């Protein structure tokens, strides 16, 4: 996950961290009836480890790439995978360091269950709010783009363009580098690259003499 991708989705990363911390507090309260972990260095250390491991998996797997064009059931799947990876890491941590008796394993299970549910709800609400705000933005704020690509890669290139910017730009036409004999593609005008970009040159083929 690149630095630019982190900055784009810092709000979703923050929701993850807040959800995990809130789930930890609620699970501890349900198990022990108090919030004394605040005064315990070992329990505070456990919370810090769980949050860091979750953040590490977020950085490695980049679960927010294309989040605004994904269906909500895909968000559920990706969130459950992230929670499962973090939970298995915690289990390995307890096993390797022989710390299973020092902390409540039941509390950790409840915590991850609550974390999964809370994060899903908060991300869903946040995503809906952002999409609603962007769908109501002025039309003149949307950049209009002519996409230069091959005809075979046109649809995929358009999807990549829309992946992370909540459609702040709109493809209004295509400029094909392989110059197919079509005038309309996906209900938008097309033209060969030599017409759109006069400086472009089609690749030449040399014929070998026998």
């Amino acid at each position: 996950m690149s630095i630019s991708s982190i900055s784009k989705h810092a709000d979703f990363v923050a929701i993850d961290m807040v959800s995990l911390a809130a789930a930890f507090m609620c699970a501890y309260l349900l198990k022990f009836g108090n919030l004394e972990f605040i005064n315990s260095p070992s329990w505070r250390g456990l919370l810090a480890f769980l949050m860091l491991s979750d953040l590490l998996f977020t950085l490695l797997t980049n679960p927010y790439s294309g989040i605004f064009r994904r269906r909500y059931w895909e968000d559920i799947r990706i969130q459950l995978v992230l929670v499962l990876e973090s939970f298995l890491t915690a289990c390995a941590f307890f096993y390797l360091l022989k710390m299973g008796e020092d902390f409540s394993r039941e509390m950790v299970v409840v915590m991850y269950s609550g974390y999964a549910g809370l994060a899903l709800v908060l991300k869903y609400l946040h995503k809906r709010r952002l999409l609603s705000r962007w769908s109501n933005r002025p039309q003149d704020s949307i950049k209009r783009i002519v996409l230069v690509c091959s005809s075979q890669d046109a649809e995929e290139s358009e999807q990549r363009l829309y992946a992370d910017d909540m459609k702040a730009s709109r493809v209004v036409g295509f400029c094909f580098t392989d110059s197919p004999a079509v005038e309309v593609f996906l209900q938008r005008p097309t033209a060969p690259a030599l017409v759109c970009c006069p400086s472009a040159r089609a690749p030449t083929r040399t014929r070998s003499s026998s």
Side-chain angles (χ1 to χ4, degrees):
M1 191 175 188
S2 64
I3 298 299
S4 61
S5 184
I6 294 175
S7 62
K8 282 183 180 179
H9 303 301
D11 47 351
F12 287 95
V13 176
I15 288 175
D16 256 329
M17 297 298 101
V18 170
S19 299
L20 181 58
F24 184 94
M25 295 175 61
C26 292
Y28 191 97
L29 182 62
L30 290 173
K31 177 65 178 180
F32 301 107
N34 57 60
L35 295 176
E36 286 300 315
F37 75 90
I38 298 175
N39 301 318
S40 171
S42 59
W43 279 98
R44 291 201 308 270
L46 175 63
L47 175 58
F49 169 79
L50 296 177
M51 294 181 69
L52 286 175
S53 64
D54 190 78
L55 180 60
L56 177 62
F57 280 114
T58 298
L59 298 178
L60 291 176
T61 60
N62 192 11
Y64 304 120
S65 176
I67 187 171
F68 294 108
R69 63 183 176 89
R70 284 203 307 249
R71 298 181 183 274
Y72 288 107
W73 68 265
E74 292 181 288
D75 291 335
I76 295 175
R77 178 183 61 81
I78 291 174
Q79 180 65 41
L80 293 179
V81 170
L82 177 63
V83 171
L84 180 61
E85 290 172 339
S86 298
F87 174 71
L88 293 177
T89 300
C91 292
F93 175 76
F94 287 149
Y95 177 77
L96 293 175
L97 299 183
K98 310 298 182 183
M99 299 176 62
E101 296 180 358
D102 298 333
F103 301 102
S104 171
R105 286 167 289 185
E106 294 83 358
M107 191 214 87
V108 173
V109 172
V110 172
M111 180 204 71
Y112 275 108
S113 300
Y115 164 47
L118 181 60
L120 280 172
V121 171
L122 293 180
K123 289 178 185 178
Y124 169 79
L125 295 174
H126 185 56
K127 180 178 175 178
R128 285 289 301 270
R129 184 182 67 85
L130 291 177
L131 290 176
S132 175
R133 187 181 68 183
W134 278 75
S135 64
N136 295 325
R137 66 190 184 277
Q139 290 297 312
D140 56 5
S141 68
I142 302 176
K143 295 183 293 184
R144 290 166 173 79
I145 294 175
V146 174
L147 197 59
V148 180
C149 59
S150 69
S151 58
Q152 293 180 343
D153 299 332
E155 194 166 356
E156 182 180 352
S157 298
E158 184 180 14
Q159 291 301 321
R160 285 201 302 267
L161 177 68
Y162 291 156
D164 294 313
D165 65 353
M166 293 192 291
K167 296 191 176 181
S169 57
R170 177 182 300 158
V171 175
V172 296
F174 296 92
C175 186
F176 289 145
T177 56
D178 51 354
S179 302
V182 295
E183 296 182 355
V184 177
F185 181 79
L186 297 178
Q187 299 180 346
R188 278 158 290 179
T190 68
L194 291 177
V195 175
C196 300
C197 310
S199 61
R201 291 291 181 270
T204 60
R205 297 182 180 178
T206 59
R207 181 180 299 174
S208 59
S209 59
S210 56

